[in-house]
């Protein structure tokens, strides 16, 4: 499985992804699920991949190759808007699906790549999308604070509780790490390292990117402080009078 | 969907269930999913139902009818051990499945009743089981603190964090309510009222049973104190230095 999240805030957008892939419990590995297409001062595009690794890697390779080739019509570094970027990602997904689906069907494996795509192109506001395996997609609006893929449930209550549009990037970063910590503790299919990007609105560059590996001192400190703090909150909750 | 949980502690066992059933978003209703078979001073048996309502109600009706009829071989009030109780529940499930499965298949609805069963029969320790839809079952051991059914993921991190065998019944009760609050906030298919039983080891009677309906003052107080408390914990978490 996977856990990926994109969070839209007034100050910018946060992206995070885990790194575990697995085809059964005896076949798991580490792969970075975060891809950045950047032209400093002009655009920052972040993709978070979920689903079948062969599928998502093929999509990323197609997009990267086309950036290298520089063909304006298929190149996310040349696309005019984030909406056009999503259409290019979607096209690459459908191309991969058309190539592979028939063969996957023989093993009853559905093509299931999906993406969170977000960022900013100069002249546009920050935007955040989720592209489904079918290649259609939704965009986060003012009522949608975050989009998740994969093992989304364990880490959702804390996001629902703690986040608003006004939350600072620093506070939302803590919140994302607690959300990942909760998920990793409860589900073996999600694992470290966690890749995190905190993109500040209108900066048009990736200033803050960090990878948290097993034993990362900051991640450990947050996890312990969260555990200790919630224990104290519990002890102060009112006792039920039956 | 549903959210049910049974928690084994040194001091006793806690049972809780939500009350929402749904066959699609436009067809939802309230049904109590908690059933108690009790003979004060001799046995307390609690069943929490998940899955297809027609199936779980049929199982409960079969068990109740057989208690009324008093046939020793099929009567949970006469069973010698909690293991035997689970076999009787399992038998009633298989009987229902045999009667209905063929007809359900025509509508591609699988028979999917399942149960958490726990409690105590004089002479035995407290025991806790989960019976799968197939009628086979597992028992919680010293390494398993709780068994859940239904929408289990949203409310799991807080249980993983806060509970140990030594947790008091009072503290575990708070924890269960926070777990339900998290689930209900994140998932429409789980809804109030929450039925809760806190069974004290060797009491052989249900001393503490409570239903929390929408707007229950204690539940609201816990929910608000938890929200406020976790916000404060957040604000005190260390800030990431990039």
């Amino acid at each position: 499985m996977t856990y990926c999240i994109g969070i839209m805030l007034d100050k910018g957008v946060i992206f995070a992804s885990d790194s575990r892939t697995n085809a059964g419990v005896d076949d798991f590995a580490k792969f970075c699920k975060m891809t950045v297409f950047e032209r400093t001062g002009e655009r920052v595009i972040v993709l978070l991949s979920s689903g079948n690794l062969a599928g998502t890697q093929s999509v990323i390779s197609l997009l990267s190759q086309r950036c290298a080739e520089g063909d304006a019509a298929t190149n996310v570094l040349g696309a005019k808007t984030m909406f056009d970027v999503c259409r290019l990602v979607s096209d690459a997904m459908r191309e991969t699906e058309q190539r592979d689906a028939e063969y996957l069907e023989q093993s009853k494996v559905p093509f299931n790549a999906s993406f969170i795509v977000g960022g900013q192109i100069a002249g546009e506001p920050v935007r955040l999308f989720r592209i489904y395996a079918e290649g259609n997609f939704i965009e986060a609006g003012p009522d949608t604070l975050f989009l998740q893929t994969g093992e989304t449930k364990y880490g959702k209550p804390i996001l629902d509780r703690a986040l608003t549009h006004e939350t600072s990037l620093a506070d939302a970063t803590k919140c994302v790490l607690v959300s990942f910590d909760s998920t990793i503790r409860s589900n073996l299919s999600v694992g470290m390292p966690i890749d995190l990007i905190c993109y500040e609105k209108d900066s048009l560059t990736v200033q803050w990117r960090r990878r948290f590996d097993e034993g990362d001192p900051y991640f450990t400190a947050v996890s312990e402080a969260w555990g200790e703090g919630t224990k104290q909150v519990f002890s102060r909750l009112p006792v039920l009078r039956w």
Side-chain angles (χ1 to χ4, degrees), chain A residues 3 14 17 24 28 30 38 56 58 66 93 101 111 132 144 150 152 157 167 181 191 197 214 227-228 238:
Chain A
Y3 183 33
I14 292 175
S17 54
F28 66 94
K30 259 187 230 175
E38 182 180 10
T56 57
S58 165
R66 282 159 188 175
M93 289 166 68
F111 177 83
Y132 297 107
T144 323
T152 61
T167 305
D181 187 41
I197 281 179
E214 212 93 46
E228 198 43 55

Side-chain angles (χ1 to χ4, degrees), chain A residues 222-234:
Chain A
V222 163
S223 173
E224 283 170 5
W226 177 250
E228 198 43 55
T230 50
K231 255 179 225 160
Q232 283 168 24
V233 175
F234 257 120

Side-chain angles (χ1 to χ4, degrees), chain A residues 108-127:
Chain A
K108 304 219 156 113
V109 180
F111 177 83
N112 72 345
S114 74
F115 293 89
I116 289 172
V117 180
Q120 189 172 22
I121 294 177
E124 278 203 317
V126 174
R127 298 175 78 176

Side-chain angles (χ1 to χ4, degrees), chain A residues 141-193:
Chain A
D143 296 323
T144 323
L145 212 53
F146 57 86
L147 300 173
Q148 301 168 290
T149 55
E151 274 295 349
T152 61
K153 295 184 179 183
Y154 301 104
K156 188 167 181 286
I158 194 63
L159 303 171
D160 283 337
R161 277 268 188 204
L163 292 178
T164 70
H165 280 284
E166 294 90 45
T167 305
S168 69
L169 292 176
D171 281 351
T173 298
K174 298 180 196 175
C175 186
V176 165
L177 291 175
V178 171
S179 177
F180 269 79
D181 187 41
S182 298
T183 307
I184 288 169
R185 279 167 179 270
S186 290
N187 191 295
L188 285 179
S189 77
V190 178
M192 310 276 275

Side-chain angles (χ1 to χ4, degrees), chain A residues 34-54:
Chain A
M34 179 180 275
T35 308
V36 181
F37 295 94
E38 182 180 10
R39 270 193 182 148
T40 303
E42 189 208 278
R43 71 184 60 210
V44 167
I45 301 163
V46 180
L47 274 79
L48 307 178
S49 317
S50 301
N52 185 281
L53 185 65

